[in-house]
């Protein structure tokens, strides 16, 4: 079994003075939700997510060696980096990157040898209410692993992607599901081969054609900042009265959805996915302190989807992240009818009428290597 020690960088075979990499990494939407974590970004329960295609972060990492002529030892040096968002300095993002570097330093000790310029942008509006931490941390982790591979070209592709997911997790838990694959499982589970709490793994068996190129239209109900951060919400699971039952439920639902994804059973897929979304928010509403992230328009959309599905028998369903926005999930073969329904019935509940059409993607992509 792979342990954290296996990801400690030990062998530098090449000297790299400067260079630049550019990666894109997608957002993802969990079908079975992760809510609650242990120390060091370890999930309290396993999860599975669709990797998206259009909603992604594109990050360029430019680096050059730092002046080593001074007497300051590597252990005393601080991290040296500039952070740009859409080409402009973004000072309020820097503490999160600083914390991320501190967490991964023991696994990537070469970070203090370089000055980095991190230039990042999202393909979706920054203030859209779509969490960008998963895609952002995954994109940065991919760039760091490109540097590691340049320093040690002998590392395998399997190790490259495993460690990228491992590093991304230390920046944002769900980021480990944005590295590779259309469907990604994170967390130990008895029925998922090679599953791990340390990194995400691609869904190990063939997925039924019903779920190929599955669609996700994201309805932007509320683009404001959440009143309660996900970090705080995860922490509230430690003394939650229903935590143990919830973690058992997640294991059970992951077992069930594994069979569903293999068989193509859309009815049970809908039941699991919607139940998981509502359970996530039920955990928020029953924690102490309790809080509600859904908005009135979130509930209006859910009821409209239920009514439409009942009347048309079209297998459209919803899921929610830790926020008010609604992800409308449906097979590609009902895209025309579903988009018409969204335009006719649901857009009016979106802030400024905004929504994003997306579908299942394939993980991170290398865009530049110089």
């Amino acid at each position: 079994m792979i342990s954290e020690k296996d990801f400690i960088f030990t062998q530098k075979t090449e000297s790299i003075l400067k260079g630049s990499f550019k990666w894109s990494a997608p957002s993802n939407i969990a079908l079975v939700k992760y809510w609650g974590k242990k120390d060091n970004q370890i999930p309290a329960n396993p999860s599975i997510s669709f990797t998206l295609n259009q909603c992604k972060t594109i990050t360029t990492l430019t680096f050059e060696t730092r002046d080593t002529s001074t007497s300051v030892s590597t252990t005393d040096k601080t991290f040296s980096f500039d952070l740009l968002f859409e080409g402009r300095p973004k000072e309020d993002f820097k503490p999160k990157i600083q914390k991320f570097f501190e967490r991964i330093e023991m696994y990537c000790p070469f970070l203090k040898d370089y000055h980095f310029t991190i230039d990042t942008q999202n393909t979706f509006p920054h203030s859209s209410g779509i969490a960008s931490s998963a895609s952002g941390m995954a994109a940065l982790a991919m760039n760091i692993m490109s540097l590691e591979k340049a320093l040690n070209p002998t590392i395998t592709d399997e190790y490259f992607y495993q460690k990228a997911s491992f590093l991304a997790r230390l920046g944002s838990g769900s980021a480990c599901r944005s590295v590779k694959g259309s469907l990604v499982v994170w967390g130990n589970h008895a029925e998922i081969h090679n599953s791990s709490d340390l990194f995400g793994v691609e869904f190990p068996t063939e997925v039924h054609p019903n779920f190929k190129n599955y669609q996700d239209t994201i309805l932007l109900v509320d683009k404001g900042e959440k009143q309660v951060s996900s970090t705080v919400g995860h922490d509230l699971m430690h003394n939650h009265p229903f935590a143990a039952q919830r973690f058992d439920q997640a294991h059970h639902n992951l077992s069930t959805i594994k069979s569903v994804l293999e068989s193509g059973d859309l009815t049970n897929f809908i039941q699991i996915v919607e139940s998981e979304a509502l359970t996530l928010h039920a955990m928020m509403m029953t924690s102490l302190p309790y809080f509600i992230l859904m908005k009135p328009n979130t509930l209006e959309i859910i009821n409209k989807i239920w009514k439409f599905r009942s009347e048309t028998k079209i297998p459209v369903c919803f899921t929610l992240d830790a926020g008010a926005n609604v992800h409308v999930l449906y097979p590609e073969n009902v895209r025309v009818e579903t988009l018409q329904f969204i335009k006719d019935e649901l857009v009016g509940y979106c802030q400024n009428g905004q929504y994003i059409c997306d579908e299942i993607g394939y993980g991170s992509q290398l865009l530049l290597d110089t």
Side-chain angles (χ1 to χ4, degrees):
M1 178 176 284
I2 296 173
S3 73
E4 290 153 315
K5 291 180 180 178
D6 293 312
F7 292 118
I8 296 174
F9 181 82
T10 57
Q11 187 178 14
K12 177 180 174 181
T13 61
E14 304 291 331
S15 293
I16 307 297
L17 299 179
K18 62 180 181 178
S20 184
F21 302 106
K22 184 178 185 179
W23 280 86
S24 71
S27 186
N28 66 74
I29 180 64
L31 306 173
V32 173
K33 308 293 185 181
Y34 134 71
W35 198 243
K37 57 188 175 184
K38 305 170 189 176
D39 291 340
N40 210 24
Q41 299 286 88
I42 298 297
N45 67 265
S47 58
I48 185 170
S49 62
F50 276 148
T51 305
L52 298 182
N53 188 41
Q54 303 297 336
C55 292
K56 53 192 172 187
T57 298
I58 300 169
T59 299
T60 303
L61 183 75
T62 304
F63 57 93
E64 57 185 13
T65 52
R66 298 169 69 180
D67 183 8
T68 56
S69 62
T70 64
S71 59
V72 180
S73 69
T74 302
T75 55
D76 293 331
K77 282 194 294 188
T78 58
F79 298 105
S80 177
F81 66 94
D82 295 315
L83 183 64
L84 307 177
F85 179 70
E86 297 181 345
R88 297 183 176 183
K90 191 73 172 176
E91 292 299 314
D92 55 336
F93 279 11
K94 290 188 76 170
K96 191 164 189 177
I97 303 301
Q98 173 72 25
K99 187 174 183 180
F100 175 54
F101 280 170
E102 289 170 0
R103 283 178 173 175
I104 69 171
E105 180 186 3
M106 70 176 292
Y107 308 105
C108 304
F110 52 82
L111 291 175
K112 285 186 174 178
D113 296 337
Y114 295 95
H115 173 77
F116 298 102
T117 300
I118 304 164
D119 193 347
T120 188
Q121 59 181 307
N122 297 327
T123 60
F124 49 91
H126 172 57
S127 59
S128 64
I130 298 175
S132 58
S133 57
S135 55
M137 288 299 176
L140 182 53
M142 299 307 296
N143 279 295
I144 290 170
M145 283 308 299
S146 283
L147 174 55
E148 177 166 328
K149 189 169 179 65
L151 293 169
N152 181 8
T154 64
I155 66 174
T156 65
D157 283 349
E158 180 181 26
Y159 180 86
F160 180 97
Y161 282 100
Q162 279 185 350
K163 184 168 177 179
S165 181
F166 171 84
L167 296 177
R169 187 197 96 241
L170 294 173
S172 172
S174 59
C176 75
R177 300 192 309 245
S178 284
V179 167
K180 196 176 184 186
S182 305
L183 274 161
V184 180
V185 176
W186 171 37
N188 280 319
H189 188 271
E191 296 173 37
I192 304 294
H193 182 61
N194 285 336
S195 59
S196 173
D197 288 341
L198 301 180
F199 49 83
V201 299
E202 292 183 84
F203 186 71
T205 55
E206 183 65 27
V207 174
H208 191 277
N210 282 351
F211 299 107
K212 298 291 176 71
N213 205 28
Y214 221 70
Q215 304 291 296
D216 179 5
T217 299
I218 307 161
L219 307 180
L220 305 179
V221 173
D222 183 13
K223 302 196 298 176
E225 190 171 333
K226 292 182 292 192
Q227 308 97 307
V228 179
S229 73
S230 293
T231 299
V232 171
H234 282 294
D235 287 344
L236 291 174
M237 288 296 286
H238 287 303
N239 298 307
H240 199 292
F242 306 130
Q245 296 93 324
R246 164 57 199 153
F247 301 147
D248 287 345
Q249 179 195 41
H251 277 273
H252 173 76
N253 282 345
L254 187 49
S255 294
T256 306
I257 207 168
K258 178 179 182 292
S259 299
V260 163
L261 291 167
E262 293 164 351
S263 69
D265 184 345
L266 289 168
T267 300
N268 275 323
F269 176 82
I270 289 169
Q271 185 176 48
I272 294 166
V273 168
E274 292 189 341
S275 171
E276 278 285 318
L278 295 174
T279 299
L280 171 67
H281 285 261
M283 292 298 102
M284 300 173 193
M285 290 188 278
T286 50
S287 64
L288 285 174
Y290 40 79
F291 59 101
I292 299 174
L293 295 184
M294 288 191 284
K295 300 292 184 182
N297 281 357
T298 307
L299 299 176
E300 292 284 357
I301 290 168
I302 289 171
N303 280 306
K304 288 280 188 181
I305 290 172
W306 284 344
K307 184 172 184 286
F308 175 76
R309 188 169 72 225
S310 175
E311 291 175 350
T312 65
K313 309 306 177 189
I314 291 174
V316 57
C317 69
F318 72 89
T319 190
L320 307 168
D321 236 331
N325 297 332
V326 181
H327 290 250
V328 185
L329 302 177
Y330 50 98
E332 186 182 27
N333 64 2
V334 296
R335 186 174 185 271
V336 173
E337 307 96 299
T338 304
L339 281 177
Q340 193 61 53
F341 158 63
I342 289 169
K343 292 172 187 174
D344 293 345
E345 302 275 348
L346 304 183
V347 168
Y349 297 108
C350 299
Q351 191 171 339
N352 301 321
Q354 288 188 291
Y355 63 97
I356 298 171
C357 292
D358 211 332
E359 66 276 325
I360 291 185
Y362 299 97
S364 301
Q365 292 183 307
L366 178 63
L367 304 177
L368 177 70
D369 179 353
T370 61

